[in-house]
Amino acid sequence: MILKAKEEMTSEIKQIWKTCFPEVDPRYVEHYFKVIYKPENCYVNLVNNHIASTLVRNIHPFIFNGKILQISMLSGVCTVPEQRGKGYMRELMDIVLDVCDHTELITLLQATNPSMYEGYGFRTVYNRKEILLERKDVKRIPSLYGCQYDPKPIELLKVYSNFIKRFNGFYARDLEYFVYFKKEIIARGGKLVAYFNSKGTIMGYAVLIPENDAMKIEELIYLDSTSLSKLLNVALNERVSSVHLHVSEAEELQKIFPEAKYRVYPSTMARLNDKVLFSKLFAERAETVEQVFANSRKPLNLNEFF
């Protein structure tokens, strides 16, 4: 039986996440179900009164080629180990994607194994890049003046809004988003550091997440080379051996750090639900989802996970 989750199912769904996603920080899982999770956004496939498969469909405003679309991101797609291979996820995906077909032009999905979702019409449209930076790769600067921890949500919104103008295909963030954004980072044991110029204007920020003896920067917003340099120096001063910087594939920072190692990895998949309506709305022919995103007028920046 496929239905939307009920409040009393939350504990069971959270435990399924912990079982199916052991690589995810348990602090994030606790925070997600305490602050972000809404039962009405979650679908389950019940078998003998227990959840066999589940997924979350979060609806967001999405900016693409100058228009605001309502799209959804599918996440938390999983089946409990003892019920795998029985078609329960296929049943669940078919129902949810039928809803998507009738309510939105595009559906997104985060996938570590893209081949699992290609049969549903999803294709990888956005890659990210991980750059491994050591102290030798980043020029040391004499002063970190202007760098401050724990910036206010309104400051984060200001600089993000300026930075994201360079890109296309992103969620429209608002002040409320950054209020929750800060809470999530703190819940995961991370830090937010920002750089302000001599006029007191915020020029960038970095999300710092400790990982053993390294530091992960999973979001770096910068308006110029000074803010980039300052923020990376702050991260490297955190008594870590290296920094793992994650950025969009379009940001060619390896030109600035030519000796650093890097890898490109698939991040976001997309599904085109109504090619006729999409073609009419954007006045351009789109037969496949690959064509849709190939026609992006600016580089993509799909750094969203919920």
Side-chain angles (χ1 to χ4, degrees), residues 53-301:
S53 298
T54 182
L55 64 81
V56 174
R57 177 184 178 229
N58 287 318
I59 300 173
H60 293 277
F62 181 71
I63 311 298
F64 188 78
N65 284 351
K67 297 185 185 296
I68 302 177
L69 307 177
Q70 288 296 321
I71 61 95
S72 61
M73 171 72 79
L74 304 187
S75 62
V77 181
C78 58
T79 299
V80 295
E82 59 270 23
Q83 298 288 12
R84 292 173 184 170
K86 300 178 182 180
Y88 295 133
M89 180 53 71
R90 165 65 70 175
E91 293 175 356
L92 184 57
M93 287 287 285
D94 286 345
I95 292 295
V96 173
L97 291 177
D98 183 66
V99 174
C100 294
D101 282 342
H102 291 87
T103 56
E104 61 194 29
L105 292 179
I106 296 172
T107 303
L108 302 180
L109 181 146
Q110 295 286 343
T112 55
N113 185 0
S115 62
M116 291 179 59
Y117 303 99
E118 291 178 351
Y120 299 103
F122 286 94
R123 296 293 183 270
T124 299
V125 297
Y126 175 68
N127 296 321
R128 298 199 80 202
K129 186 185 302 177
E130 179 184 12
I131 305 174
L132 175 61
L133 296 171
E134 299 177 346
R135 181 70 269 181
K136 63 180 177 60
D137 298 311
V138 181
K139 183 179 180 181
R140 193 186 298 270
I141 55 179
S143 172
L144 295 179
Y145 180 79
C147 294
Q148 299 178 20
Y149 285 97
D150 197 29
K152 297 178 180 179
I154 187 63
E155 300 290 354
L156 299 172
L157 176 59
K158 286 178 183 177
V159 71
Y160 177 82
S161 297
N162 283 329
F163 174 81
I164 207 66
K165 291 176 183 177
R166 312 172 187 176
F167 298 94
N168 187 33
F170 55 87
Y171 286 177
R173 298 184 183 182
D174 56 16
L175 185 60
E176 184 181 21
Y177 178 98
F178 282 102
V179 171
Y180 284 101
F181 184 66
K182 288 189 64 175
K183 291 179 180 179
E184 177 199 331
I185 294 162
I186 293 170
R188 296 169 60 195
K191 300 178 182 179
L192 258 170
V193 60
Y195 168 65
F196 295 81
N197 65 16
S198 58
K199 296 180 180 179
T201 301
I202 188 170
M203 299 296 290
Y205 69 79
V207 176
L208 309 181
I209 306 293
E211 291 189 339
N212 299 318
D213 64 340
M215 184 68 74
K216 178 182 179 182
I217 301 182
E218 63 181 24
E219 182 162 282
L220 180 64
I221 303 299
Y222 54 96
L223 300 186
D224 57 20
S225 59
T226 300
S227 53
L228 173 65
S229 178
K230 291 262 189 177
L231 293 168
L232 289 177
N233 270 275
V234 169
L236 286 164
N237 283 354
E238 286 276 338
R239 297 181 180 178
V240 294
S241 61
S242 60
V243 168
H244 296 253
L245 172 61
H246 294 258
V247 296
S248 67
E249 185 178 17
E251 295 169 74
E252 298 184 352
L253 297 184
Q254 66 270 28
K255 292 182 178 180
I256 302 176
F257 313 110
E259 300 301 319
K261 298 178 181 178
Y262 73 95
R263 69 180 181 96
V264 175
Y265 60 93
S267 177
T268 303
M269 305 186 78
R271 182 179 189 266
L272 179 61
N273 300 322
D274 192 327
K275 63 183 180 182
V276 174
L277 184 56
F278 187 95
S279 298
K280 289 181 179 179
L281 180 63
F282 287 93
E284 58 187 41
R285 188 175 180 81
E287 291 294 328
T288 67
V289 70
E290 292 96 334
Q291 288 179 341
V292 168
F293 285 89
N295 290 335
S296 174
R297 297 168 188 166
K298 296 178 182 178
L300 299 173
N301 194 306

Side-chain angles (χ1 to χ4, degrees), residues 16-33:
I16 291 172
W17 274 39
K18 290 180 178 180
T19 300
C20 294
F21 307 119
E23 73 284 359
V24 176
D25 188 333
R27 294 174 296 182
Y28 172 74
V29 176
E30 291 295 332
H31 170 77
Y32 182 89
F33 280 92

